[in-house]
Amino acid sequence: MRQAIESGRIHRPEDAVEEALRLWEERERNRAEILAAVDAAEASLDRGEGIVITEQSARELADDVKRRGRARFEAERTARR
């Protein structure tokens, strides 16, 4: 903290504490979002809504994502003209 103040990166020790608290709160929000997503995914699987991923289905999904991404890119490029 002393080095940060001396270098001018922060002005007061309180600024460092506030920044640390902000970062901690952001990390906790992200953690809560991840846990909620995992809970939702597990509930979906418990309801039998999951699908079996095979090498072929993963390849098809990747191809579909690429196709949609290219179409979106082309639409945005065309709109800019």
Side-chain angles (χ1 to χ4, degrees):
M1 190 176 335
R2 188 178 312 124
Q3 288 175 341
I5 291 171
E6 289 171 0
S7 70
R9 190 166 159 263
I10 61 172
H11 300 290
R12 308 171 301 141
E14 293 83 2
D15 295 338
V17 173
E18 289 172 4
E19 177 69 7
L21 181 58
R22 186 189 64 73
L23 291 170
W24 178 79
E25 288 172 340
E26 181 180 328
R27 187 185 72 205
E28 287 301 303
R29 271 193 306 277
N30 289 339
R31 182 178 174 276
E33 289 172 4
I34 290 168
L35 291 175
V38 168
D39 287 345
E42 287 177 343
S44 173
L45 291 174
D46 289 345
R47 292 189 302 269
E49 297 172 352
I51 59 172
V52 175
I53 301 294
T54 65
E55 189 174 326
Q56 179 63 31
S57 67
R59 192 175 303 117
E60 290 169 0
L61 175 61
D63 290 344
D64 184 51
V65 168
K66 288 177 193 175
R67 181 189 55 72
R68 287 184 288 136
R70 288 180 182 129
R72 183 175 169 183
F73 176 77
E74 185 59 33
E76 289 173 0
R77 196 176 94 193
T78 302
R80 282 187 247 138
R81 291 181 185 170

